[in-house]
Amino acid sequence: MIRPARRRQPAAVVATLLSAVLLLAACGAPPKVQTALEDVGKSDGSATVGAPKGFEDYYGQSLEWTDCGEGFQCATASAPLSWHDAGAGSIEIALKRIPASGQKVGSLLVNPGGPGGSGVDFVGDPARFGQSLRSSFDIVGFDPRGVGRSTPVKCYDDAGKDEFLSTDYPYTEAGLAARQDAVRDWGKACAENTGPLLGNVDTQSAARDMDMLRGALGDDKLNFLGFSYGTQLGATYAGLFPKRTGRLVLDGALDTTLASDEVALQQAEGFESALRAYVTDCQTSSDCPLTGDVTSGLQQIQAIVEDAEPNPIPTSSGRDVTKKLAFYGVAVTMYDEGSWSFLTQALQEVLWDGKGDDLLYLADVYNDRNEDGTFKSNSEEAFRAINCADSRAEEDMATMQQLAADIEAAAPTLGESFGYSGIECTDWPFPAAEQEFDPAAKGAPPIVVIGTTNDPATPYRWAESLAKTLSSGTLVTYEGEGHTAYGRSNTCISTAVEDYLVEGTVPKDGLTC
């Protein structure tokens, strides 16, 4: 994505600036409504009240918290493999918390997004959370089922995963067929190496885990701060358990009413808008490698990505930057405008030196890949598995071709990479879950929904829609760039979030920061 001292920034600094990549664009969409909302009872403060029949022991389990360094405490909870079959066995849910530093009022569960982001890793940086939150709550991060340190989804080994994430498939009949074959083989490997858990990693099951954790933590109501995909998780919880919903803040919201195909189109438009903002900013500087006007600059980025398919960009490591990796390297920097300088650096290297080291580094950050070819997490495996467990996009090839054309017309720079989303669950080994929650979450207390006006991954219109869909939704707007707002924007946002979570002060609907 040449400055005088290339790579002066240490990897840790880059990773910090790009930490929003954990909030991967959540591409899940609501499954079809086929069954009624389950009534699991009322809460009166007892941990096991409201537990579905046969699952009482999970709600009443005693969590054994141990010191895991630097003031953190860790525990492992037991959850049922299937919330529809108490006899199917159990899995593990990993937890990490920052104990309240002051008068504790309860627990605050957090989810960083994905799907596939690790809540355990997320709470590892306490500075993400305001002092009032750290004082009043045990801030509890958890890895959802299938993710990270919880019982994980497993698919390929590192070498196979690396190939899967870097291989290009041309948008031809043969290329699309090869892509379908690759996805089919990936799904088979996931089924073989994960087992029946693969059919139980849907968002509703994760939301039921959250209610179980609420009980095990001893809380009468669930307080929750969710980002990106975490907003889908929080909205699902509220729809399942409105009477046990406490104070929820959903930042970087998904529109739970959209089909997967609509998600792909609108997300492509979001990245196009963010890229336009980046190019506009870049071209105000004399060291910007993008020449001409903004449209010309966007076309130069498009040419770099497109040309990497027939002519992969060489690097000093011997690895080439394929089109897929070039897309990742550009896209990752759109999550936070603080990362734009790294994209400029990478583009300088490509356009001036013909090398792709910096662009490859950014792609590896996106994919959580280490320099030695290992991976820091199973975020890719979990991302695909959870999305396929939640819903399926249109799989008819003619329909996908038309949608791909619509996406490219709306987002010409990178839009091609968002097309044919129906292929991503080709012959998935398990069916999508049936919807069992009320999208309006009728009966829930106020739910604060935050949208950023030029968010690429979760476009602002999604926050507007979610706030309207939720019967008690309250919309807060951050006027700015990047993905999500709390912890990376301004005091107006942090005050609104913290005053609600700690004091219960509901921000004015329509508040703009």
Side-chain angles (χ1 to χ4, degrees), residues 17 128 132 149 164 214 283 327 392 397 406 417 419 429:
L17 285 174
R128 297 179 189 274
S132 62
R149 296 170 183 79
F164 182 78
R214 173 202 58 77
Q283 292 182 334
F327 165 74
R392 305 293 159 82
M397 186 58 69
D406 293 342
S417 296

Side-chain angles (χ1 to χ4, degrees), residues 43-370:
S43 173
D44 67 356
S46 173
T48 58
V49 168
K53 185 177 181 181
F55 297 91
E56 294 86 354
D57 287 348
Y58 291 103
Y59 275 66
Q61 67 185 292
S62 177
L63 299 176
E64 297 183 8
W65 294 96
T66 59
D67 184 351
C68 50
E70 299 180 357
F72 297 106
Q73 296 176 341
C74 294
T76 301
S78 181
L81 171 66
S82 169
W83 280 103
H84 295 92
D85 182 0
S90 62
I91 59 173
E92 293 184 342
I93 303 294
L95 306 168
K96 186 174 185 176
R97 73 180 179 186
I98 307 168
S101 61
Q103 183 64 42
K104 175 183 171 182
V105 298
S107 301
L108 176 68
L109 264 66
V110 297
N111 179 273
S118 168
V120 170
D121 290 342
F122 190 64
V123 300
D125 180 8
R128 297 179 189 274
F129 310 101
Q131 180 57 44
S132 62
L133 294 187
R134 299 198 303 270
S135 176
S136 301
F137 292 102
D138 287 343
I139 300 177
V140 182
F142 67 102
D143 286 359
R145 54 177 53 220
V147 175
R149 296 170 183 79
S150 295
T151 305
V153 172
K154 299 178 182 178
C155 301
Y156 285 157
D157 61 15
D158 287 333
K161 180 177 177 180
D162 204 22
E163 180 179 1
F164 182 78
L165 290 175
S166 60
T167 300
D168 290 333
Y169 298 99
Y171 286 89
T172 62
E173 184 176 349
L176 292 170
R179 179 174 163 187
Q180 286 179 310
D181 288 342
V183 171
R184 186 181 294 111
D185 290 344
W186 171 275
K188 288 179 180 178
C190 295
E192 291 172 0
N193 294 311
T194 305
L197 171 64
L198 191 67
N200 292 278
V201 292
D202 57 284
T203 297
Q204 290 177 128
S205 292
R208 294 184 188 281
D209 291 342
M210 285 168 50
D211 194 56
M212 176 272 294
L213 292 174
R214 173 202 58 77
L217 290 166
D219 291 328
D220 184 50
K221 304 282 186 179
L222 180 84
N223 299 308
F224 178 74
L225 174 59
F227 301 86
S228 194
Y229 164 76
T231 69
Q232 179 182 340
L233 185 57
T236 300
Y237 179 89
L240 285 169
F241 309 106
K243 297 176 182 178
R244 293 204 287 280
T245 296
R247 297 168 187 168
L248 267 59
V249 174
L250 309 179
D251 184 1
L254 273 77
D255 182 351
T256 57
T257 67
L258 288 181
S260 294
D261 301 317
E262 295 174 298
V263 168
L265 173 60
Q266 294 182 20
Q267 195 172 63
E269 292 173 334
F271 274 90
E272 184 77 13
S273 178
L275 268 173
R276 180 169 289 276
Y278 159 72
V279 174
T280 300
D281 179 77
C282 178
Q283 292 182 334
T284 64
S285 173
S286 61
D287 66 354
C288 181
L290 303 173
T291 59
D293 60 11
V294 172
T295 298
S296 177
L298 288 168
Q299 290 171 344
Q300 290 165 59
I301 293 175
Q302 180 186 14
I304 289 171
V305 175
E306 294 296 323
D307 190 56
E309 184 175 301
N311 302 294
I313 307 166
T315 72
S316 59
S317 69
R319 293 170 62 206
D320 289 336
V321 180
T322 61
K323 175 183 176 181
K324 185 180 289 188
L325 293 175
F327 165 74
Y328 292 147
V330 173
V332 69
T333 61
M334 295 299 101
Y335 285 79
D336 190 322
E337 65 270 31
S339 303
W340 288 358
S341 62
F342 298 105
L343 177 56
T344 298
Q345 177 179 321
L347 293 175
Q348 288 171 343
E349 187 182 47
V350 173
L351 292 170
W352 295 349
D353 294 350
K355 299 292 184 182
D357 291 65
D358 292 337
L359 193 58
L360 181 63
Y361 177 75
L362 293 172
D364 286 348
V365 170
Y366 186 97
N367 287 320
D368 236 3
R369 184 190 189 275
N370 296 309

Side-chain angles (χ1 to χ4, degrees), residues 29-38 82-84 198-208 232 236 239-240 256 386-392 430-439:
K32 296 166 69 174
V33 178
Q34 296 185 6
T35 59
L37 176 66
E38 179 181 347
S82 169
W83 280 103
H84 295 92
L198 191 67
N200 292 278
V201 292
D202 57 284
T203 297
Q204 290 177 128
S205 292
R208 294 184 188 281
Q232 179 182 340
T236 300
L240 285 169
T256 57
I386 294 169
N387 277 332
C388 292
D390 279 346
S391 66
R392 305 293 159 82
F430 294 92
E434 298 178 348
Q435 182 169 311
E436 300 174 350
F437 70 97
D438 171 19

Side-chain angles (χ1 to χ4, degrees), residues 479-499:
E479 293 184 327
E481 303 289 335
H483 185 41
T484 73
Y486 179 73
R488 56 168 300 276
S489 56
N490 57 31
T491 56
C492 174
I493 289 291
S494 59
T495 298
V497 169
E498 293 163 16
D499 283 357

